[in-house]
Amino acid sequence: MLLLSAVMAGMGWAEGMAQESFKPAWSNVPGCEYPQVSEGMSVRVRLKAPEATKVEVAGGDGFCKEPLALTKDTEGYWSGVVTQVTPGFHYYWFLVDGVQVNDPSSVTYWGYGHPTSGVYAPTPGEDFYACKQVPHGQVREHWYFSEVTGKWRRAYVYTPAGYDTDTQTKYPILYLLHGAGENERGWSLQGRMNFILDNLIAEGKAVPMIVVMDNGQAVAKGDSTQPDMSREGLTKRTETLEQVYLKDILPTFESYYRVKPGRENRAIAGLSMGGFQTFQIGLNHTELFSYYGAFSAALIGGVMDNPSTAFNGAFADAAKFNREVKLFWFGVGSEEKMFVDMVTDARKKLSDLGIRTSYYQSENTYHEWHTWSRCLHEFAPLLFK
Amino acid sequence: MLLLSAVMAGMGWAEGMAQESFKPAWSNVPGCEYPQVSEGMSVRVRLKAPEATKVEVAGGDGFCKEPLALTKDTEGYWSGVVTQVTPGFHYYWFLVDGVQVNDPSSVTYWGYGHPTSGVYAPTPGEDFYACKQVPHGQVREHWYFSEVTGKWRRAYVYTPAGYDTDTQTKYPILYLLHGAGENERGWSLQGRMNFILDNLIAEGKAVPMIVVMDNGQAVAKGDSTQPDMSREGLTKRTETLEQVYLKDILPTFESYYRVKPGRENRAIAGLSMGGFQTFQIGLNHTELFSYYGAFSAALIGGVMDNPSTAFNGAFADAAKFNREVKLFWFGVGSEEKMFVDMVTDARKKLSDLGIRTSYYQSENTYHEWHTWSRCLHEFAPLLFK
């Protein structure tokens, strides 16, 4: 009887899984039934590949880091269920006989340096990034010529609702940087920054602001375009990007748009590599920026080895720093241990110097976009107040 | 001796092929070496798939309509050369053991209803769509609520250079429609409409104008979202889109942007399905539009069976039509025979009624984006003059 109960319980569980309500992800190609997402945070994927001998699915850390083998039905469809998916947006892909390919049923996003499939696994009640019945800002594709790189560059610029109707109001400005492997469209596409800000502004929680999202790669005019991944190479590229910000981006965008003058109206924030660049560009120029956001910042390359002398001595006088820097904010996902450790170490060193920082931890998320969307949602209300 | 010459000539030709200068396409993912394009209009593709048993490449009509089998080298790379590629942009994809997949080395574009790889094969001297050293307009992502569909919709809007700096000037407006399988971003991404207009305006060849690019699909509030591909279903959808234009799009965009009033400042044009919709929406409302562009228009479903009574009798009074409609323009690619025939037939019928039309033929292009980019380049200078 005990055994029977156990078997029935087991069956019940199996049936429960089978009957779990799966719905097509809202991020799918219109009309496509897969991937499907359940309320229990499982994702069912499917691919037609009758002639393939092996098909797997894999993706971001919070989705399916280790490839999961799919099973084939009689019609040639390979399918499987990824369980215990963490909240929010995840990159994913198939491995068809070993070749990494995107899902034709998914919109592709720029991730890991290539177009990559993505799926949203929403958590009940968490809708801060949804397109709601509120006034919407715009995201503009803005081409500008960079004297530093000698090339035309594409930035995306968010202008808040009302920007075009009231042509006198000036706005503070946030420079928002993406990560390695992403590009300048990441924040507005998978990061949903425009909807996050639209909602915060409509609720009166954030000040209307302009947001500039540029590309995080820059090669100085005449330099080799071949990536040099040595420490010197990375340092040089960051220095070039710093020059692009100083000589091209700030002058271009702050004269083109109606931007309030002065460092008290200027913020900089970035994720992962963009967090590193926020340090390098922003902290080297505390005369320019008052608000700093480091989302899962990649504080690598010894950048925090000697904080008392780093960044042109920004931290040397803690009282001055705390007075002038309105916000020095760190955000990180609870499950991205390496970054939690890096940030904890950096904040400890800063605290030892008397530097004041803020900290936010996104629960149950990894080094993925949902961490960063949540970071922006927490960070933006603190700006320009 | 004759034989030897022939053999040598043959060798020379083969060597010429081998030595033909291939360069990475500028549309590649940054840093990726393939696909490569030659001046002789060949494209070499490559994919690493050591475990696959068969890899092919295929693509748009002017690229590689019939799948081409690739050959595998000892390192597991499959490669091949597509020859006699026609000018401009082409969609393409791989078939890996029968599964259609995109090229991880290519940016993806929305084509055939899914993310699809693409490559540009430029022709010497044809640079009307290049990003040049001229003032650039912007392309804005504009979300608006549609009362007809009961949903938020995304449009892309081109505002010409100077729109933000001189806040008094008003502009004429062009509604530019995409084809079936494309979406609202197609014209500004693969169609490069912003660069085409930037260049034309900078050269003084086109009048500065605002361009609205909306999605060509619309389902009325309460209707099934399942595609009904019957003639009745298609008719209903086009009627819904017509209502979206009348009740949502025109009022929304012409009040939001600084648009010159009146039908003499309003144009409508579209490609393929968007050409059909240009007829259905535009010709049903000659009181609203003065300029019409039909690019490779899909004049299907008997739309031109009874022209004298069609479109609310728009063609019934030819003298009136010719007086009021400033431009009724058809463009088509020389190699898309079915569309050449459809357009020829339509223009014959119109001519028989005394209706004046204009015609442009893009040489050596198929039912692909280069036909439509060239069409826009020819059409835009004729507007609002």
Side-chain angles (χ1 to χ4, degrees):
Chain A
M1 191 64 186
L2 188 67
L3 181 65
L4 184 61
S5 292
V7 168
M8 286 179 71
M11 281 174 64
W13 176 82
E15 280 173 4
M17 279 290 286
Q19 288 166 9
E20 194 176 2
S21 172
F22 281 89
K23 289 181 184 161
W26 61 261
S27 44
N28 290 358
V29 166
C32 286
E33 289 293 309
Y34 290 85
Q36 296 184 337
V37 183
S38 82
E39 285 185 7
M41 302 304 278
S42 292
V43 175
R44 181 180 282 156
V45 296
R46 193 176 83 158
L47 182 73
K48 187 159 194 177
E51 297 171 49
T53 54
K54 186 182 181 187
V55 178
E56 298 165 295
V57 65
D61 291 357
F63 181 72
C64 186
K65 194 176 181 180
E66 297 303 319
L68 171 75
L70 304 183
T71 54
K72 186 180 172 184
D73 70 12
T74 51
E75 291 175 61
Y77 286 102
W78 297 77
S79 64
V81 176
V82 181
T83 58
Q84 296 184 306
V85 167
T86 61
F89 177 86
H90 306 284
Y91 293 123
Y92 75 101
W93 51 88
F94 292 113
L95 296 157
V96 176
D97 291 338
V99 184
Q100 182 173 325
V101 302
N102 286 321
D103 186 347
S105 296
S106 162
V107 171
T108 59
Y109 306 84
W110 197 267
Y112 306 117
H114 294 278
T116 305
S117 299
V119 61
Y120 285 87
T123 43
E126 189 180 33
D127 67 348
F128 68 87
Y129 56 92
C131 176
K132 297 184 187 175
Q133 202 73 16
V134 299
H136 289 285
Q138 297 191 332
V139 176
R140 304 167 175 214
E141 188 178 308
H142 187 136
W143 288 84
Y144 69 100
F145 189 77
S146 162
E147 296 294 340
V148 174
T149 68
K151 293 205 170 85
W152 287 92
R153 288 170 66 89
R154 182 181 69 174
Y156 283 85
V157 179
Y158 171 82
T159 51
Y163 184 87
D164 287 299
T165 43
D166 170 4
T167 56
Q168 298 306 312
T169 304
K170 293 190 170 189
Y171 299 86
I173 191 162
L174 163 64
Y175 295 90
L176 191 58
L177 286 69
H178 62 80
E182 318 283 345
N183 75 5
E184 65 273 23
R185 200 171 174 231
W187 265 113
S188 62
L189 193 61
Q190 55 267 51
R192 300 181 68 80
M193 63 73 61
N194 52 323
F195 297 121
I196 294 169
L197 283 181
D198 290 343
N199 294 334
L200 286 171
I201 292 167
E203 294 172 68
K205 291 181 178 166
V207 170
M209 64 186 82
I210 290 165
V211 184
V212 172
M213 296 155 283
D214 201 74
N215 192 284
Q217 308 289 345
V219 178
K221 202 160 36 185
D223 278 6
S224 166
T225 56
Q226 291 304 310
D228 173 359
M229 298 306 283
S230 70
R231 184 160 166 177
E232 292 72 25
L234 290 171
T235 302
K236 190 172 183 189
R237 285 203 170 207
T238 306
E239 286 171 359
T240 300
L241 190 68
E242 184 179 340
Q243 292 305 308
V244 171
Y245 268 82
L246 296 180
K247 294 181 181 165
D248 296 321
I249 294 179
L250 266 66
T252 298
F253 292 94
E254 298 191 11
S255 60
Y256 189 90
Y257 297 96
R258 300 193 310 276
V259 177
K260 282 186 181 171
R263 64 183 293 282
E264 66 272 24
N265 293 306
R266 203 181 284 120
I268 185 167
L271 72 91
S272 196
M273 175 185 80
F276 175 86
Q277 293 166 337
T278 293
F279 270 50
Q280 290 283 16
I281 297 167
L283 292 173
N284 272 343
H285 297 281
T286 53
E287 79 281 7
L288 295 176
F289 302 93
S290 303
Y291 299 85
Y292 296 79
F295 308 167
S296 310
L299 301 175
I300 55 175
V303 72
M304 286 298 288
D305 281 355
N306 302 295
S308 62
T309 56
F311 310 115
N312 298 331
F315 303 135
D317 183 343
K320 179 170 181 283
F321 185 91
N322 291 338
R323 195 170 56 242
E324 293 182 352
V325 169
K326 307 290 182 195
L327 183 67
F328 192 14
W329 194 95
F330 290 83
V332 72
S334 63
E335 306 308 306
E336 45 171 343
K337 300 300 183 193
M338 188 178 83
F339 290 86
V340 171
D341 290 348
M342 266 192 298
V343 167
T344 303
D345 175 66
R347 291 186 65 232
K348 169 75 168 58
K349 285 174 176 164
L350 291 166
S351 176
D352 290 346
L353 289 174
I355 301 288
R356 194 175 52 226
T357 63
S358 303
Y359 182 71
Y360 161 74
Q361 189 167 293
S362 161
E363 292 309 315
N364 194 22
T365 61
Y366 287 84
H367 202 65
E368 293 189 295
W369 270 101
H370 204 55
T371 296
W372 309 319
S373 294
R374 282 181 174 170
C375 280
L376 180 64
H377 179 244
E378 298 292 324
F379 176 72
L382 307 174
L383 299 179
F384 314 122
K385 285 179 174 171
Chain B
M1 192 61 187
L2 190 67
L3 181 65
L4 185 61
S5 294
V7 169
M8 287 179 71
M11 282 174 64
W13 177 80
E15 282 173 1
M17 278 290 286
Q19 290 166 8
E20 195 177 1
S21 172
F22 281 89
K23 289 181 185 162
W26 62 261
S27 46
N28 289 359
V29 166
C32 286
E33 290 291 308
Y34 289 84
Q36 297 184 336
V37 183
S38 81
E39 285 185 8
M41 300 304 279
S42 292
V43 175
R44 180 181 282 157
V45 297
R46 193 176 82 158
L47 182 73
K48 187 159 192 176
E51 298 170 48
T53 54
K54 186 182 181 187
V55 177
E56 299 165 294
V57 65
D61 290 357
F63 180 71
C64 186
K65 194 176 180 180
E66 297 303 319
L68 171 74
L70 305 184
T71 54
K72 187 180 171 183
D73 70 12
T74 52
E75 291 175 60
Y77 285 102
W78 297 77
S79 64
V81 175
V82 181
T83 58
Q84 295 184 305
V85 167
T86 60
F89 176 85
H90 305 285
Y91 293 122
Y92 76 100
W93 51 88
F94 292 113
L95 295 157
V96 176
D97 290 337
V99 184
Q100 181 172 327
V101 302
N102 285 321
D103 186 347
S105 297
S106 161
V107 172
T108 58
Y109 306 83
W110 198 266
Y112 306 118
H114 294 277
T116 304
S117 298
V119 60
Y120 285 88
T123 42
E126 188 179 35
D127 67 349
F128 68 89
Y129 58 93
C131 176
K132 298 185 187 175
Q133 203 73 19
V134 298
H136 289 285
Q138 297 191 332
V139 176
R140 304 166 174 214
E141 188 178 306
H142 187 137
W143 289 84
Y144 70 99
F145 189 78
S146 161
E147 297 293 341
V148 173
T149 68
K151 293 207 169 84
W152 287 91
R153 289 170 66 90
R154 182 181 69 175
Y156 284 86
V157 179
Y158 171 83
T159 51
Y163 183 87
D164 288 298
T165 43
D166 170 5
T167 56
Q168 298 306 313
T169 304
K170 294 190 169 189
Y171 300 86
I173 192 163
L174 163 65
Y175 294 90
L176 191 58
L177 285 69
H178 62 79
E182 319 282 345
N183 75 6
E184 64 274 23
R185 198 170 175 233
W187 264 112
S188 62
L189 193 62
Q190 56 268 48
R192 301 180 68 80
M193 61 73 60
N194 52 324
F195 297 121
I196 294 169
L197 283 180
D198 290 343
N199 294 335
L200 285 172
I201 293 167
E203 292 173 69
K205 291 181 179 167
V207 171
M209 65 186 84
I210 290 166
V211 184
V212 171
M213 296 156 282
D214 201 74
N215 191 286
Q217 307 291 344
V219 178
K221 201 160 38 183
D223 278 6
S224 166
T225 56
Q226 292 304 313
D228 173 0
M229 299 306 284
S230 70
R231 184 159 166 177
E232 291 71 27
L234 290 171
T235 302
K236 189 171 183 190
R237 288 204 167 206
T238 306
E239 286 171 358
T240 301
L241 189 69
E242 183 179 341
Q243 292 305 308
V244 170
Y245 269 82
L246 296 180
K247 294 180 180 164
D248 296 320
I249 294 180
L250 266 65
T252 298
F253 292 94
E254 297 190 11
S255 60
Y256 189 89
Y257 297 96
R258 299 193 310 276
V259 176
K260 282 186 182 172
R263 63 183 293 283
E264 66 272 25
N265 293 305
R266 204 180 284 120
I268 185 167
L271 72 91
S272 196
M273 175 185 80
F276 175 85
Q277 293 166 337
T278 294
F279 270 49
Q280 290 283 15
I281 298 168
L283 292 175
N284 272 344
H285 297 282
T286 52
E287 79 282 7
L288 294 175
F289 302 93
S290 304
Y291 298 85
Y292 296 80
F295 309 166
S296 309
L299 301 174
I300 56 174
V303 71
M304 286 298 288
D305 280 356
N306 301 298
S308 60
T309 57
F311 311 116
N312 298 332
F315 303 135
D317 182 343
K320 180 170 179 284
F321 185 92
N322 290 337
R323 195 169 56 241
E324 293 182 354
V325 169
K326 306 291 183 194
L327 183 67
F328 192 14
W329 193 95
F330 290 83
V332 72
S334 64
E335 307 308 306
E336 45 172 342
K337 299 301 182 194
M338 187 178 83
F339 291 86
V340 171
D341 290 347
M342 268 192 297
V343 167
T344 303
D345 175 65
R347 292 185 65 233
K348 169 75 167 58
K349 285 175 176 163
L350 291 165
S351 175
D352 289 347
L353 290 174
I355 301 288
R356 194 175 54 227
T357 64
S358 301
Y359 182 72
Y360 162 73
Q361 188 166 294
S362 162
E363 292 309 315
N364 195 22
T365 61
Y366 287 83
H367 202 65
E368 293 189 295
W369 271 102
H370 204 55
T371 296
W372 308 319
S373 294
R374 281 181 175 170
C375 278
L376 180 64
H377 180 245
E378 298 292 323
F379 176 72
L382 308 175
L383 300 179
F384 313 123
K385 284 179 175 171

